[in-house]
Amino acid sequence: MTANISTDSTHRVEDLYPSRIKQQPEFLERQDPIVYGDAQNGPLNAEQLDQFDRDGFLLLPGFYTGQQVDLCHQELDRLRDSQETRERPEAIVEPDSAALRSLFAVHRPEISARFSQVAADKRILEMVMQILGSEVYIHQSRVNLKPGFAGKEFFWHSDFETWHVEDGLPRMRTVSCSLLLDHNYEFNAPLMLLPGSHRKYVTCVGQAPEKHYESSLKQQKYGVPDPDSLSQLVDEHGITQATGPAGSLLLFDCNTMHGSNGNITPFPRSNLFFVYNSIWNQLANPFCDHQPRPEFIASREFSNTMKPREFI
């Protein structure tokens, strides 16, 4: 099979991770480093970097204080209760109700000045830049809500597969950051991860339709791995839940397989989600025949590097 080539006005990029092309899924070897920096160039120590390299994620319990989490909750309540917010193109509502499921681009001050501060938090940026070995910019940001009794599931997936195929993200040099705004118990649909799964790339089957994002952000049907591949990954790596108190911070590699169940408990589970991409990993054209997804889903403003600042 000839590898796809993605082009834009400035560079030509080979498709090192082809997906949604063959009739059968397959496992491909990862061709990119996981950790680019070392313990001498950032706040994470050698043990933490080794854990991220081995598992594909790192959970830091109690990273934010209760007061800082309260400030985030006040902002979340404002956004969730605003009819104007729910009518924004960046807002995704649940497929069977008008309840807010996700709100994208929350790092932009015009949407949320408070969450813009969190995205630029010096302590987060220093860890992300240490892992990626470069300056970074926000590829995507959002707040996810899983209210009690109503929060829907997110099926197993590697973010990189979709970001690569549909957005043109060429390499695995991207880190996601999830700030837990509520206590994540083992029973209120916390994020589940497959430790070590980031070392293999699972290709998917089936071409998504044009503007797939309009439905996939509510319920994803394309770009999800097949049951046999998932079963093999679980047999090899097991399943870990990212549980912890509100204010905990989860860093995970863009290719780590993860998902979550629906929340049928009374306990809500919301989180802030920021995706930091290396400035040396700028988007090319999508590795499919579709037009690029909207800027609020996949930013091409890669020249806007993040400037660290204190979050109060």
Side-chain angles (χ1 to χ4, degrees):
M1 179 187 67
T2 301
N4 289 354
I5 297 292
S6 180
T7 61
D8 67 9
S9 60
T10 59
H11 64 292
R12 184 175 178 85
V13 179
E14 181 182 0
D15 186 352
L16 298 177
Y17 300 102
S19 184
R20 312 187 197 182
I21 295 175
K22 294 185 176 182
Q23 295 301 313
Q24 296 294 328
E26 58 184 344
F27 288 90
L28 302 180
E29 292 294 331
R30 182 183 181 121
Q31 301 188 45
D32 296 301
I34 299 164
V35 175
Y36 289 77
D38 54 45
Q40 283 70 48
N41 294 298
L44 296 175
N45 59 39
E47 181 180 357
Q48 290 171 319
L49 290 175
D50 288 345
Q51 182 179 343
F52 187 91
D53 184 82
R54 180 189 69 242
D55 296 337
F57 60 88
L58 178 66
L59 181 63
L60 304 172
F63 186 81
Y64 275 169
T65 67
Q67 181 181 7
Q68 291 170 323
V69 173
D70 287 344
L71 291 173
C72 290
H73 256 298
Q74 292 172 16
E75 180 66 354
L76 177 60
D77 292 343
R78 181 188 71 82
L79 294 169
R80 181 187 56 214
D81 297 338
S82 167
Q83 181 66 27
E84 180 181 356
T85 295
R86 290 197 297 271
E87 292 176 352
R88 296 186 65 100
E90 298 91 349
I92 308 300
V93 299
E94 292 288 4
D96 55 357
S97 73
L100 188 65
R101 178 183 176 95
S102 299
L103 178 64
F104 282 77
V106 293
H107 70 287
R108 295 180 180 173
E110 64 269 23
I111 293 182
S112 173
R114 177 72 67 194
F115 293 157
S116 174
Q117 290 180 330
V118 179
D121 188 325
K122 178 181 179 181
R123 295 192 300 157
I124 296 176
L125 285 180
E126 287 181 345
M127 291 188 295
V128 170
M129 290 189 292
Q130 181 182 13
I131 293 172
L132 297 179
S134 74
E135 293 184 281
V136 297
Y137 72 98
I138 293 285
H139 168 75
Q140 183 189 104
S141 71
R142 64 181 184 265
V143 59
N144 293 324
L145 294 90
K146 278 204 171 187
F149 301 122
K152 301 301 182 182
E153 73 280 355
F154 288 89
F155 194 73
W156 292 105
H157 63 284
S158 155
D159 287 326
F160 178 77
E161 195 278 343
T162 294
W163 296 342
H164 179 73
V165 174
E166 299 188 25
D167 299 327
L169 185 68
R171 310 298 291 260
M172 296 179 185
R173 198 171 180 178
T174 309
V175 169
S176 295
C177 169
S178 178
L179 173 62
L180 281 54
L181 298 182
D182 298 297
H183 195 124
N184 279 224
Y185 302 97
E186 67 274 12
F187 46 74
N188 66 335
L191 195 68
M192 299 182 293
L193 308 103
L194 306 186
S197 59
H198 59 307
R199 295 184 175 274
K200 296 283 188 179
Y201 178 68
V202 183
T203 68
C204 298
V205 175
Q207 289 284 357
E210 191 73 41
K211 296 185 178 180
H212 174 231
Y213 66 89
E214 292 181 350
S215 60
S216 68
L217 299 179
K218 298 181 181 181
Q219 185 177 26
Q220 190 168 359
K221 296 181 179 180
Y222 298 90
V224 295
D226 63 288
D228 288 342
S229 296
L230 281 171
S231 297
Q232 182 175 335
L233 286 175
V234 172
D235 286 343
E236 292 179 1
H237 305 292
I239 299 175
T240 296
Q241 292 179 312
T243 57
S248 299
L249 192 76
L250 175 69
L251 301 173
F252 61 101
D253 181 84
C254 60
N255 192 47
T256 301
M257 197 68 68
H258 62 285
S260 62
N261 291 314
N263 185 12
I264 62 172
T265 76
F267 305 99
R269 201 272 283 177
S270 56
N271 68 294
L272 274 175
F273 185 72
F274 301 108
V275 181
Y276 299 92
N277 188 33
S278 167
I279 59 171
W280 303 114
N281 194 37
Q282 61 184 264
L283 301 189
N285 282 348
F287 291 96
C288 61
D289 296 330
H290 299 165
Q291 294 296 312
R293 296 197 295 176
E295 178 73 18
F296 70 84
I297 297 176
S299 177
R300 295 178 179 271
E301 298 176 357
F302 49 82
S303 61
N304 293 339
T305 56
M306 299 297 292
K307 305 301 181 185
R309 58 185 177 183
E310 301 291 338
F311 174 66
I312 301 175

